[in-house]
């Protein structure tokens, strides 16, 4: 197993131990798979200058997002698809040998912000099923996506936004007194903010 593979395994073990259990929803999905592939893609590109392997990892990241997309409602699918379009443009840049680091960072950050949106959607669904513990786990995965997104976000505006969402999620998780309705209302507001940033900000032309 490669060093990157070992690191990924360690991260997953830490997360699983920290989160205690994985909700049934994730049994057929790895919620961190896309993060892993995007990270590999950038490492192969910037450290090893291996365009082919980097592109292959990006392709796997897109495939993993499409797996998740199948499990979401129409708006969730739209948000994921919006970010995939930017990843597809990066894929075209790979093929044309005209890759822009700024475009790559913007697309990868947007993809991870979109995954955070998806995790919040999943959390709301779990709340509706009275699976509060699993709903919190989904939010924790959302926070992991945001932490990873910060590695790619070039603008201070976007970084501040992602930190704001991260802190809001952290506060929600820590607040044990919220009812399901109160939490859903707060989550809906975060979804509106993420909807804007994914749909309208930093799109690759």
């Amino acid at each position: 197993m490669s060093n990157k593979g070992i690191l990924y395994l360690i991260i997953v073990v830490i997360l699983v131990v920290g989160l205690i259990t994985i909700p049934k929803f994730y049994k057929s999905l790895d919620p961190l798979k896309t993060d892993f592939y995007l990270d590999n893609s950038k490492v192969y590109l910037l450290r090893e200058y291996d365009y082919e392997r980097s592109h292959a990892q990006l392709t796997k990241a897109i495939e993993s997002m499409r797996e998740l997309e199948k499990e979401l409602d129409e708006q969730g699918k739209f948000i994921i698809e919006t970010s995939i379009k930017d990843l597809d443009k990066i894929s075209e840049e790979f093929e044309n040998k005209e890759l822009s680091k700024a475009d790559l960072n913007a697309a990868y950050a947007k993809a991870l912000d979109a995954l955070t949106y998806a995790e919040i959607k999943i959390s709301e669904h779990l709340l509706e099923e009275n699976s509060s513990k699993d709903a919190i786990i989904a939010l924790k995965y959302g926070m992991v996506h945001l932490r990873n997104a910060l590695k790619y976000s070039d603008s201070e505006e976007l970084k501040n936004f992602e930190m704001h969402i991260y802190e809001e999620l952290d506060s929600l998780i820590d607040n044990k007194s919220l009812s399901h309705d109160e939490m859903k209302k707060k989550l809906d507001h975060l979804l509106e903010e993420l909807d804007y940033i994914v749909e309208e900000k930093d799109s690759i032309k």
Side-chain angles (χ1 to χ4, degrees), residues 86-99:
D86 276 9
L87 293 179
D88 284 337
K89 290 174 184 175
I90 296 298
S91 185
E92 290 175 9
E93 290 186 12
F94 266 108
E95 292 168 1
N96 296 328
K97 306 296 184 183
E98 298 176 348
L99 189 62

Side-chain angles (χ1 to χ4, degrees), residues 14-192:
I14 291 172
L15 281 168
V16 171
V17 171
L19 300 174
I20 300 175
T21 185
I22 298 178
K24 291 179 181 178
F25 177 88
Y26 295 111
K27 292 302 184 183
S28 60
L29 296 169
D30 181 346
L32 299 179
K33 186 187 292 186
T34 304
D35 304 54
F36 175 63
Y37 288 140
L38 291 177
D39 186 59
N40 271 354
S41 176
K42 190 167 184 178
V43 167
Y44 287 139
L45 180 67
L46 299 183
R47 295 184 190 173
E48 301 181 20
Y49 307 104
D50 191 331
Y51 269 63
E52 185 174 337
R53 293 180 76 185
S54 179
H55 191 191
Q57 292 296 298
L58 171 58
T59 300
K60 290 183 178 181
I62 293 171
E63 291 170 354
S64 67
M65 291 187 76
R66 292 207 184 280
E67 289 177 24
L68 176 62
E69 189 178 22
K70 297 173 186 176
E71 307 296 332
L72 301 173
D73 62 16
E74 289 307 309
Q75 182 59 18
K77 289 177 181 178
F78 176 76
I79 292 296
I80 293 293
E81 193 59 37
T82 298
S83 67
I84 287 176
K85 286 179 181 177
D86 276 9
L87 293 179
D88 284 337
K89 290 174 184 175
I90 296 298
S91 185
E92 290 175 9
E93 290 186 12
F94 266 108
E95 292 168 1
N96 296 328
K97 306 296 184 183
E98 298 176 348
L99 189 62
S100 160
K101 181 183 174 183
D103 285 351
L104 182 145
N105 282 339
Y108 286 16
K110 176 180 279 192
L112 292 163
D113 288 340
L115 289 177
T116 302
Y117 183 101
E119 298 294 355
I120 294 175
K121 277 286 189 180
I122 292 166
S123 181
E124 287 194 331
H125 173 70
L126 292 167
L127 282 174
E128 290 172 1
E129 294 187 342
N130 292 316
S131 301
S132 299
K133 290 183 179 179
D134 287 349
I136 293 299
I137 292 171
L139 296 182
K140 288 182 178 180
Y141 278 122
M143 292 174 71
V144 173
H145 296 316
L146 285 170
R147 282 202 299 270
N148 289 330
L150 284 163
K151 295 188 297 185
Y152 304 107
S153 302
D154 287 334
S155 74
E156 285 303 313
E157 179 187 9
L158 185 55
K159 286 181 179 179
N160 289 337
F161 168 80
E162 288 163 345
M163 282 302 302
H164 158 68
I165 299 294
Y166 184 94
E167 289 167 359
E168 288 294 317
L169 289 176
D170 190 44
S171 177
L172 282 177
I173 291 170
D174 191 51
N175 192 338
K176 311 300 182 185
S177 64
L178 287 176
S179 67
H180 283 190
D181 288 342
E182 289 171 329
M183 178 169 278
K184 186 177 185 307
K185 184 176 179 180
K186 290 181 179 294
L187 291 176
D188 282 341
H189 180 67
L190 294 180
L191 287 172
E192 289 177 7

